[in-house]
Amino acid sequence: MEYETLAVLSGLPQDPHGALGLPIYAVAAYGFKTLEEGAERFASGEGYVYARQKDPTGKALEERLKALEGGMEALVFASGQAATFAALFSLLRPGDEVVAAKGLFGQTIGLFQQVLAPMGIGVRYVEPEPDRVREALTGRTRAIFVETMANPALVVPDLEGLAFLAEERGIALVVDNTFGATGALAKPLQWGAHVAVESLTKWASGHGSVLGGAVVVRESRIWQNYPQFLEKDARGQVPWEALGPRCYPERVRTLGLSLMGMALSPFNAYLLFQGLETVALRVRRMSETALRLAEALRGHPKVKALRYPGLPEDPAHPMARKYLASGGPMLTLDLGSQEAASRFLKAIPLPKAANLGDARTLLVHPWTTTHSRLPEEGRLQAGVTPGLVRVSVGLEAPEDLVAWFQEALAAA
């Protein structure tokens, strides 16, 4: 089935009352009829025990994400940050290393530096090109981490080349697919990535009203290369022998949800499940508008640099044509200085917020917000300059957006 069909039909459970929508199971615990039934649920992981681990509303969302991303298993979390941490924490041990792309989202870099580093996990930052990544790999590298499209540098990596390298070296390729809009714009698993993590807060929600995150995993034998899946667990089982390729997502569920409690509420799962039904339509319209806006602003005397992967002259355009369904809903404008950016943002009648993927066009100044906790060198390395404005294009009429941007640029 096509993406749009899966978005409205996949994941819907059979309801005993014939409800056509998704019920919200707003309960914490699930009962057992007998001692034996309870013991079996705890031993097998099947069925429902406690909402921190999984619940029927969240499970429906997981099934829909599996279908849309083309994964074997999906797990939902309270936020994208929680999903990223759980996915990496389940792979890494003290002394391990991650080779990560330069130009990552500021909070992801913060996660690496302030959470993983004190745990004894090292990170090497390189350009997300297969040759540069290959040079950075060591015997301690256990994961390659990139974004489908860098936030906010808008670099699109060679996912297929990186996946080939990861398979060759027996390590996992983990891709932050937040900018891939849950598969509506990009599907890294289909290009060979082993794990996709994403913030569902963005396009999946579509209205900036709810937090959520996900880990989606494809079937792979790569987990045989990780000692944690070849050693006996607390139950006396060897995870790879007992679960095969599902040993990794089961570890993510155990560590991230059961033990660390980063669970998504059933109400949020319900809203995200509904949001996914229209994500393809919204992303397509937003991308069309973003291209029109980029074409209107290219060459503008007040814009020192414009980045939009949908423009033929953009450095990311060749990779965008291969990996993205369109140029996407994101673009950036470099106005040359923080003062010019400040005048521009004051003049434009659109929301300024550190979010994206909303129905409304959102603008943000990364230098002073999303990347402000990084040292100046780190911000510049991430493609963030004092004059840069990140634009997440919404569903407004293209004519209005073009007029507002041109008026605000005149004021800047």
Side-chain angles (χ1 to χ4, degrees), residues 377-394:
E377 180 183 353
R379 281 178 276 179
L380 295 173
Q381 181 177 281
V384 177
T385 60
L388 189 78
V389 175
R390 187 188 73 187
V391 182
S392 173
V393 176

Side-chain angles (χ1 to χ4, degrees), residues 210-264:
V210 59
L211 292 176
V215 178
V216 190
V217 185
R218 75 168 174 88
E219 187 169 358
S220 173
R221 301 181 65 85
I222 200 112
W223 315 121
Q224 294 180 95
N225 300 322
Y226 289 78
Q228 55 265 53
F229 302 120
L230 303 178
E231 302 167 349
K232 286 186 178 181
D233 60 18
R235 298 175 182 173
Q237 297 178 326
V238 175
W240 176 258
E241 294 177 358
L243 299 170
R246 295 186 181 275
C247 64
Y248 171 70
E250 182 61 26
R251 181 174 173 84
V252 176
R253 189 179 297 279
T254 299
L255 296 181
L257 297 175
S258 181
L259 297 180
M260 288 189 281
M262 299 185 289
L264 180 70

Side-chain angles (χ1 to χ4, degrees), residues 73-297:
E73 193 67 72
L75 305 96
V76 292
F77 287 82
S79 69
Q81 282 291 96
T84 300
F85 176 68
L88 292 172
F89 186 72
S90 300
L91 287 177
L92 303 170
R93 290 179 165 186
D96 289 344
E97 291 182 346
V98 179
V99 172
K102 289 183 178 179
L104 295 176
F105 173 50
Q107 296 299 301
T108 303
I109 297 174
L111 175 66
F112 287 156
Q113 294 179 344
Q114 299 178 47
V115 180
L116 294 185
M119 294 179 176
I121 296 166
V123 182
R124 295 169 179 259
Y125 295 99
V126 299
E127 296 296 336
E129 301 167 0
D131 290 343
R132 301 288 80 77
V133 172
R134 183 186 297 275
E135 293 170 357
L137 297 178
T138 72
R140 298 196 300 168
T141 306
R142 310 306 291 152
I144 300 169
F145 188 92
V146 300
E147 294 170 325
T148 302
M149 190 188 303
N151 177 10
L154 304 186
V155 174
V156 180
D158 180 4
L159 295 175
E160 188 175 28
L162 291 172
F164 181 85
L165 173 60
E167 283 287 336
E168 179 186 81
R169 298 296 291 266
I171 57 180
L173 173 60
V174 182
V175 178
D176 184 335
N177 196 39
T178 298
F179 275 29
T182 64
L185 189 62
K187 297 182 180 181
L189 298 182
Q190 294 191 354
W191 291 101
H194 301 93
V195 183
V197 298
E198 53 204 347
S199 170
L200 302 178
T201 310
K202 312 306 190 286
W203 289 276
S205 165
H207 301 89
S209 58
V210 59
L211 292 176
V215 178
V216 190
V217 185
R218 75 168 174 88
E219 187 169 358
S220 173
R221 301 181 65 85
I222 200 112
W223 315 121
Q224 294 180 95
N225 300 322
Y226 289 78
Q228 55 265 53
F229 302 120
L230 303 178
E231 302 167 349
K232 286 186 178 181
D233 60 18
R235 298 175 182 173
Q237 297 178 326
V238 175
W240 176 258
E241 294 177 358
L243 299 170
R246 295 186 181 275
C247 64
Y248 171 70
E250 182 61 26
R251 181 174 173 84
V252 176
R253 189 179 297 279
T254 299
L255 296 181
L257 297 175
S258 181
L259 297 180
M260 288 189 281
M262 299 185 289
L264 180 70
S265 80
F267 184 71
N268 286 9
Y270 166 80
L271 292 175
L272 291 165
F273 187 86
Q274 283 195 324
L276 287 172
E277 294 181 350
T278 59
V279 65
L281 303 178
R282 287 184 277 111
V283 169
R284 186 180 303 123
R285 165 63 188 275
M286 292 169 174
S287 299
E288 292 170 353
T289 302
L291 175 60
R292 183 167 172 181
L293 183 60
E295 289 174 337
L297 300 180

Side-chain angles (χ1 to χ4, degrees), residues 31-88:
F32 325 117
K33 294 180 180 178
T34 65
L35 177 151
E36 290 76 15
E37 181 184 355
E40 172 61 23
R41 287 197 204 174
F42 270 81
S44 67
E46 299 297 325
Y48 302 101
V49 173
Y50 199 71
R52 186 176 67 243
Q53 299 160 343
K54 58 182 174 179
D55 69 89
T57 311
K59 185 63 177 176
L61 176 59
E62 291 176 346
E63 291 297 318
R64 179 160 286 182
L65 288 167
K66 280 167 50 178
L68 296 180
E69 291 272 15
M72 175 194 72
E73 193 67 72
L75 305 96
V76 292
F77 287 82
S79 69
Q81 282 291 96
T84 300
F85 176 68
L88 292 172

